[in-house]
Every structure is written in C-alpha cells, then in structure tokens.
Amino acid sequence: MSQENNELEPRWYVVHTYSGYENKVKTDLEKTVKNRELEEYFFEIVVPMEEQIEIKNDGKKKVNLKKVFPGYVLVKMIVTEATWYIVRNTRGVTGFVGSGTDPIPLTEDEIRQMGFEVPTLKFDYSVGDPVKITGGSFDGFIGTVQEINKDKNKVKVSISMFGRETPVEVDFSQIGKIN
C-alpha cells in the first residue's frame, strides 16, 4: 500500500478469491478479525447470494442459493496497513479489486446496484448549533456546526484548538448534542 489511509470511514471493497473459496475466506477473515480484536475496522463481510428456483422433472420446485459474484467477497472495512495486510494474507484471497496495491472502494451507485442499502443518517442539527464531538481524532471537543453535507454524511464543526477557531470535518455519527 502506497500510503496509510487516514480516512477512517468504512467503505465497501471487493476482494478477489479463488473460485469456491468465498465462504471459507469470509469465515477465516471473521475469525482473524475477532482474534486480533479488530472489529472496529471491519463492519460486514458478505458473499452475495441469490435464490434460484429450479423445477425438477417431477414438477417440484427446489430453491438453491447461488453466488451472485463467484470468486468475490465484499468487505465493508476501514483500510489501514494492518487491515489491508490481514485481508491480503487470508488463505484463498488473491487480492483486492483495484489498481496495484491500493484497493478502490465501491461507489454508492455500485453499492445500490448490488442491492445494498446506502443508509442515510437522520441528522437533526442546524448551522450554528453547539455540539460535542464524540469520536475520531477530536473526541471530546466542543464546537459549533459550520456546514452540513448530507450527501457525504459529514459536518464541518468549528472547534477551539491552540487558542484559535479551527474547522474540522467529522461524520454525522461522531457528534452529539450538548446537554
């Protein structure tokens, strides 16, 4: 990986596997994540399946689950050197789909086309509201909402740092009301 990904936002990535290894990769990766206590970096590991109805010679219907993308596993994760290494070195994984060593996250449109919901977070703050940052690098800071970007689920908050007002961008999920 050429640089450490400082964007600590989970994104969907496509992992290429040996054909037939998709479920094993999913299971092994889940075990590794649990053993190394990296649950805060891995959110979902999915082998997309769809029901296929087969009609037998005797007229009976049989429902089979079929892999939608044979040879691929979808992983919603935060990419860091460590998480990249763990996925890359899981038995059966041939690599991330992307260019060279940098995995490329799926776009929201691609995620929707695959039938995944792109959650829109409920956000009931307005510009000028006082808020407390509850996660990330600025955890515990108190500030004022400057800008709201609903498309990206981000908010710009002005905080006081080193004696001056500094705008920082955080996820909707990383702020809370001041009681």
Side-chain angles (χ1 to χ4, degrees):
M1 231 171 120
S2 58
Q3 82 270 351
E4 182 73 28
N5 184 351
N6 292 324
E7 185 183 316
L8 292 179
E9 188 179 316
R11 307 281 297 269
W12 282 101
Y13 295 90
V14 180
V15 177
H16 193 261
T17 69
Y18 292 123
S19 191
Y21 273 72
E22 303 87 353
N23 291 327
K24 179 128 183 58
V25 164
K26 175 182 173 9
T27 306
D28 289 352
L29 194 50
E30 286 169 344
K31 276 186 201 159
T32 304
V33 167
K34 193 169 175 16
N35 289 343
R36 298 201 181 180
E37 297 179 355
L38 290 169
E39 290 91 345
E40 67 202 65
Y41 293 97
F42 290 87
F43 297 81
E44 284 184 68
I45 302 167
V46 178
V47 178
M49 305 290 268
E50 66 184 359
E51 285 186 356
Q52 194 172 44
I53 298 169
E54 187 182 329
I55 299 178
K56 295 284 189 188
N57 292 342
D58 57 6
K60 290 186 177 162
K61 285 184 186 176
K62 184 180 179 204
V63 179
N64 293 321
L65 280 179
K66 180 178 169 259
K67 291 181 186 103
V68 180
F69 308 111
Y72 296 96
V73 175
L74 301 177
V75 182
K76 187 176 186 180
M77 64 185 282
I78 294 170
V79 173
T80 65
E81 290 284 346
T83 60
W84 178 88
Y85 182 85
I86 285 168
V87 173
R88 224 14 226 99
N89 290 287
T90 298
R91 190 185 179 108
V93 169
T94 58
F96 279 95
V97 172
S99 59
T101 56
D102 289 326
I104 297 173
L106 293 172
T107 65
E108 288 195 359
D109 282 347
E110 290 169 327
I111 295 164
R112 276 193 198 93
Q113 286 170 0
M114 289 183 189
F116 289 100
E117 273 305 304
V118 178
T120 49
L121 298 172
K122 188 173 175 287
F123 189 77
D124 54 355
Y125 297 95
S126 303
V127 171
D129 283 355
V131 292
K132 180 176 184 176
I133 299 178
T134 58
S137 308
F138 303 101
D139 189 8
F141 277 85
I142 304 243
T144 308
V145 175
Q146 298 289 301
E147 217 174 277
I148 299 167
N149 184 336
K150 289 194 176 183
D151 293 336
K152 291 187 171 179
N153 289 339
K154 298 241 183 229
V155 62
K156 198 172 276 178
V157 177
S158 177
I159 61 171
S160 179
M161 193 160 56
F162 307 120
R164 66 174 67 151
E165 290 299 306
T166 307
V168 296
E169 192 176 69
V170 294
D171 285 352
F172 283 0
S173 62
Q174 292 179 314
I175 63 169
K177 286 205 182 296
I178 295 177
N179 298 345

